[in-house]
Amino acid sequence: MNPRGGFNTKLGFILAAAGSAVGLGNIWKFPIEVSEGGGAAFLLMYLFFCFILCFPVIVSEIAIGRKSNRNAIGSFQKLGFKKWSFIGKMGVLTGILILSFYSVVAGWVLGYVFEMIRGNFQIYESFYEYTNNVKYIMLYSFLFMFVTAFIVSKGIADGIEKASKILMPSLIFLMIILIIYALTLPNSLDGIKFYLIPDFSQINLNVAGSALGQAFFSLSLGMGMLITYGSYIDKDNNIVKSAALITLADVGIAFLAGLVIFPFIFSKGLAVEGGPGLIFTTLPQIFESLGETTGVLVGSTFFILLTFAALTSTVSLLEVPVSYVVDEYKISRKLSVWIIAFFIFILGIPSLLSHGEFLFFKNFITYLGSTKPVDFMSFIIHVSNDTLLPLGGFLITIFAAYIWKKENLLEEISIGNNNFKNSFVAKYISFSISFICPLILGSLFLITFLEKFFGISFI
Ligand code: PHE
């Protein structure tokens, strides 16, 4: 048995990686992005990025992890390219930033479980006051971080794998029920049209940049999560198949979330607008219209499942820095986990204070070329999700194709996958990792970065 620990089963790895991918990104953030990106046009680009562009990056991350058997930073060193471990360092930093705000939103979700149990559907009218209730939210995000740390402290098979094997099917089941209900509402079809019939005039580089950022965030890509999880799998694992299943699970759940939200927004005649409140303000209204008892039941179950979906993601986010510290500094897993989790919790406090009276964090920064200040949490989201993840993805493809070399990449992928080398998928991965991915990822990263932070427009 490997002293670093590892997944016991292939399914365990797939579920843990899919569990990492499926989270608040799919159910909270995806519908917001679709609204802000103009509906179906955004969805199309998102699907394109996930299946065509991100797939080779997923496969490369897993291969780098499995080959090196090390954490996100150590893996580059182990493969013989110490200088390139800065990619891993950037990844660890990104993971820490993401977890710091993610645990705050997860705290909102956890609090909603109790609000739904109390039958407090009216909360949609006072969502912003709710997020402003600092003591309450801090308690919940602390609790959330605590459970995350507890699971990660148990290690891979007993903690992460076991926890991931629970609840994904129930989440899907419940969402399907909600979709069926949403579709029976008057005017729900308008929502479906907005979501599924693209208006191509909405497509521009800005929207493409957001779709790419969302695809990376949702697939947990570009920050070494899959390098880390990949380092815990065996050689008989079929990387291509695992990657396909992870992508399908992730895209599938995001797609379902849209099918719940948009029919409902249109049937209630609400304006399609973005903003972090979307699921927190629209869903309680669906639950309310179900009647008291059913509403409480469905509402609380939904937010419990969302809490669990978020939990498998925070677990993977925490595992990235923990794995690094455990591998490289020989500090015990337990101690590393608690110290890092506490540090990240503290780092999350400014995000927690971003939505209310604390004007310093609410109007934290105004980017060049803009007049509207951005709150602290959005700033962290822009830096980590929209900037660092695509940049990380770009660098990983450059590394895999030209530094480690694509022959070595393909060799590693073919282990556990006998017919791989002559397959179409191998040719596709080889071509796209060398040309398509670096080109599109690199340019979209640059365009979004310049546009977002410096107001330099390319449209
Ligand atoms: N993919 C997760 C989600 O969609 C978030 C995440 C990003 C998790 C990066 C790990 C790493 O909620």
Side-chain angles (χ1 to χ4, degrees):
M1 166 105 186
N2 187 335
R4 295 177 74 239
F7 290 104
N8 278 341
T9 61
K10 289 182 195 141
L11 184 67
F13 162 65
I14 292 169
L15 286 177
S20 166
V22 173
L24 299 175
N26 307 58
I27 298 164
W28 167 63
K29 210 160 165 299
F30 177 72
I32 298 173
E33 294 278 337
V34 174
S35 310
E36 290 176 349
F42 178 92
L43 177 68
L44 262 185
M45 265 182 301
Y46 171 75
L47 291 176
F48 169 80
F49 285 141
C50 286
F51 285 108
I52 308 295
L53 207 66
C54 293
F55 189 76
V57 189
I58 303 185
V59 171
S60 306
E61 277 204 33
I62 303 178
I64 292 173
R66 187 175 72 177
K67 175 73 186 176
S68 65
N69 212 345
R70 280 287 180 291
N71 60 80
I73 298 177
S75 54
F76 292 92
Q77 204 162 337
K78 182 79 190 292
L79 294 179
F81 306 97
K82 189 157 183 239
K83 270 201 203 139
W84 288 82
S85 59
F86 79 91
I87 303 178
K89 288 182 188 148
M90 213 173 78
V92 168
L93 173 74
T94 314
I96 291 174
L97 290 179
I98 294 179
L99 186 50
S100 76
F101 77 79
Y102 201 95
S103 56
V104 174
V105 181
W108 299 346
V109 173
L110 186 56
Y112 257 55
V113 173
F114 298 97
E115 298 301 329
M116 293 299 112
I117 291 177
R118 285 171 46 207
N120 180 15
F121 304 117
Q122 255 68 46
I123 192 154
Y124 65 82
E125 288 175 346
S126 54
F127 172 69
Y128 286 98
E129 285 92 77
Y130 166 81
T131 57
N132 247 325
N133 191 342
V134 171
K135 275 192 216 129
Y136 187 79
I137 302 297
M138 200 178 291
L139 178 72
Y140 284 117
S141 70
F142 183 81
L143 208 68
F144 200 88
M145 214 41 168
F146 186 87
V147 177
T148 304
F150 180 76
I151 295 174
V152 176
S153 74
K154 294 270 165 215
I156 304 303
D158 287 340
I160 296 176
E161 182 165 358
K162 257 193 200 148
S164 306
K165 278 186 172 167
I166 319 172
L167 280 160
M168 282 265 280
S170 353
L171 178 69
I172 299 175
F173 176 73
L174 200 78
M175 284 178 76
I176 291 177
I177 297 200
L178 286 178
I179 292 168
I180 295 172
Y181 175 72
L183 289 180
T184 62
L185 297 171
N187 302 328
S188 59
L189 227 55
D190 292 340
I192 297 290
K193 279 189 199 142
F194 171 76
Y195 185 42
L196 299 183
I197 301 179
D199 165 5
F200 288 102
S201 69
Q202 300 279 350
I203 295 190
N204 58 41
L205 282 175
N206 218 345
V207 175
S210 313
L212 182 69
Q214 174 62 18
F216 263 74
F217 179 73
S218 187
L219 289 164
S220 312
L221 218 54
M223 42 78 67
M225 187 291 286
L226 282 167
I227 297 183
T228 308
Y229 275 17
S231 76
Y232 297 120
I233 62 175
D234 294 330
K235 292 286 182 198
D236 60 352
N237 209 306
N238 182 332
I239 296 181
V240 170
K241 196 169 134 199
S242 303
L245 289 172
I246 296 164
T247 311
L248 272 178
D250 187 55
V251 171
I253 301 238
F255 185 70
L256 291 184
L259 284 182
V260 177
I261 302 280
F262 293 109
F264 188 69
I265 294 182
F266 279 80
S267 79
K268 286 268 176 195
L270 305 171
V272 223
E273 53 189 38
L278 196 59
I279 68 159
F280 295 101
T281 50
T282 50
L283 286 180
Q285 298 181 58
I286 310 193
F287 302 141
E288 185 178 35
S289 59
L290 290 173
E292 178 79 23
T293 325
T294 325
V296 167
L297 200 73
V298 178
S300 46
T301 318
F302 179 84
F303 281 102
I304 290 175
L305 292 172
L306 189 51
T307 304
F308 279 96
L311 196 59
T312 44
S313 301
T314 49
V315 159
S316 73
L317 282 162
L318 184 58
E319 177 61 24
V320 174
V322 165
S323 165
Y324 166 64
V325 171
V326 171
D327 276 355
E328 309 293 330
Y329 297 99
K330 311 287 173 234
I331 300 177
S332 83
R333 172 171 278 271
K334 285 211 162 56
L335 187 65
S336 326
V337 166
W338 292 109
I339 293 175
I340 296 173
F342 184 71
F343 168 73
I344 296 177
F345 172 74
I346 300 292
L347 196 67
I349 291 179
S351 288
L352 205 147
L353 303 178
S354 282
H355 296 96
E357 302 132 35
F358 298 89
L359 292 181
F360 177 72
F361 294 119
K362 189 172 177 184
N363 302 324
F364 183 68
I365 191 168
T366 306
Y367 302 139
L368 286 175
S370 157
T371 47
K372 225 174 112 213
V374 167
D375 65 85
F376 185 86
M377 187 194 262
S378 305
F379 171 66
I380 296 288
I381 294 181
H382 294 153
V383 170
S384 55
N385 301 6
D386 298 335
T387 309
L388 290 173
L389 291 182
L391 177 62
F394 166 70
L395 291 169
I396 288 169
T397 55
I398 297 282
F399 174 81
Y402 300 108
I403 309 297
W404 186 32
K405 299 250 173 343
K406 65 176 188 228
E407 295 73 32
N408 292 318
L409 170 72
L410 295 177
E411 180 63 40
E412 180 61 28
I413 301 172
S414 69
I415 302 174
N417 185 353
N418 292 335
N419 308 318
F420 174 69
K421 276 209 176 138
N422 298 318
S423 68
F424 170 74
V425 184
K427 293 196 180 75
Y428 175 68
I429 292 178
S430 162
F431 181 70
S432 110
I433 204 83
S434 317
F435 306 109
I436 306 180
C437 291
L439 192 73
I440 302 191
L441 288 177
S443 18
L444 269 183
F445 155 72
L446 259 183
I447 290 167
T448 339
F449 180 70
L450 293 175
E451 170 122 34
K452 192 147 239 150
F453 296 103
F454 299 95
I456 301 173
S457 176
F458 292 84
I459 303 163

